[in-house]
Amino acid sequence: MTSQLNYAYCARTDQGLIRQNNEDNFVFDESCGVAVLADGMGGYNAGEVASSMATTSIAATLTHWLSNSERSHHPDDLCRLLVVSVERANQEIRQAATTNPAYKGMGTTVVAGVFKGDRLFLTHVGDSRCYRLRGGALAQMTKDHSMLQEQVDAGLITRALAARAPGRNLLTRALGVEARVPLEVRIYPVEADDLYLMCSDGLSDMVDDDSIANLMGQATDIATRASALIYLANAKGGRDNVTVMLIQAHNATAS
């Protein structure tokens, strides 16, 4: 008998209480272990266009490659695949922004992962995040590409003060803005009962880590927990669109 991991996915998105439209988008493909979430920015509807382009393009590239059983799924290949998929989306968004006046200046954050076997291959651009809840402990697996995070890294401001400081949304990286975007792919071991959260800053700006950990750790199905996270973000003000994606790892025994 060999022990394997299976994954369950659930996502919820909400416009929030202030915004006139929802510029967040997400895509997941359970059969290929792909999860992509994006938070767009730009003029009227342009942010929504950028985030939709990002999630659709990245997921399509990943699933097309992963669904071909004859291809190698070596870790190095998966890392390169993630980079290629995000770079392609960056070029597509940038091209649309430069050729259509209505889309001028649009861009988007993105967090994208491939859950393969007992590993997570993860990349991100901007301040959309990925968290992991393991044994009741919450860990932030991504680091925001933002001016405020750079100040934290330089020791100019503490993490606690940064959580309440203005200017949290001034990004240093986004898709569609520059011809090239720096990318890092990290590989994380996954354990049975891990619960992963991908989210837009509409959640992380409104809800503190302790509250996120508490709701993620509830003894309910992941759909209920996803809805509870959305509800709390809105209960605390709902200043932005909020999107959450939960991915639960569990044991599957195969002979």
Side-chain angles (χ1 to χ4, degrees):
M1 304 286 285
T2 58
S3 180
Q4 299 177 337
L5 292 178
N6 285 344
Y7 297 92
Y9 296 74
C10 178
R12 296 285 186 271
T13 188
D14 191 87
Q15 183 173 307
L17 305 181
I18 306 297
R19 297 298 179 91
Q20 297 302 306
N21 64 325
N22 192 342
E23 296 188 331
D24 290 357
N25 272 285
F26 66 86
V27 174
F28 64 84
D29 186 305
E30 294 186 65
S31 64
C32 293
V34 169
V36 189
L37 183 151
D39 178 358
M41 55 194 180
Y44 180 70
N45 286 340
E48 184 177 348
V49 170
S51 64
S52 178
M53 290 180 67
T55 54
T56 302
S57 176
I58 292 169
T61 301
L62 294 174
T63 56
H64 176 75
W65 192 87
L66 289 164
S67 61
N68 189 329
S69 60
E70 295 181 0
R71 288 198 170 110
S72 164
H73 292 173
H74 188 277
D76 290 345
D77 294 331
L78 284 172
C79 289
R80 283 192 291 270
L81 176 65
L82 267 171
V83 170
V84 167
S85 69
V86 177
E87 288 179 339
R88 180 176 297 172
N90 183 59
Q91 292 302 321
E92 291 172 355
I93 295 166
R94 183 170 167 79
Q95 176 70 15
T98 55
T99 57
N100 189 329
Y103 299 156
K104 182 179 180 180
M106 75 175 179
T108 185
T109 70
V110 71
V111 55
V114 175
F115 292 86
K116 189 70 176 174
D118 60 355
R119 283 180 285 193
L120 164 61
F121 298 78
L122 184 68
T123 191
H124 80 293
V125 178
D127 60 1
S128 290
R129 294 180 177 178
C130 182
Y131 294 88
R132 180 193 65 212
L133 186 72
R134 175 180 291 170
L138 186 72
Q140 183 178 329
M141 306 176 74
T142 54
K143 180 186 287 189
D144 294 350
H145 299 133
S146 67
M147 295 294 292
L148 202 60
Q149 183 62 54
E150 288 188 354
Q151 292 177 343
V152 172
D153 292 343
L156 301 176
I157 187 173
T158 66
R159 184 177 175 85
L161 287 175
R164 302 187 300 273
R168 288 191 298 272
N169 308 116
L170 296 175
L171 302 180
T172 56
R173 296 185 199 177
L175 293 189
V177 178
E178 302 289 345
R180 298 294 299 271
V181 59
L183 293 170
E184 303 92 26
V185 178
R186 299 189 183 278
I187 306 174
Y188 296 95
V190 180
E191 297 180 4
D193 300 321
D194 280 356
L195 180 60
Y196 294 84
L197 165 68
M198 293 183 178
C199 66
S200 60
D201 66 344
L203 179 72
S204 55
D205 278 356
M206 302 304 301
V207 183
D208 61 80
D209 285 3
D210 288 343
S211 297
I212 290 174
N214 180 60
L215 288 180
M216 288 178 66
Q218 296 296 306
T220 56
D221 59 83
I222 60 173
T224 300
R225 282 178 270 184
S227 296
L229 288 164
I230 296 279
Y231 178 85
L232 185 56
N234 283 333
K236 288 181 172 290
R239 291 194 300 265
D240 199 354
N241 311 141
V242 55
T243 301
V244 303
M245 187 184 301
L246 291 175
I247 304 98
Q248 177 81 63
H250 56 87
N251 269 324
T253 304
S255 56

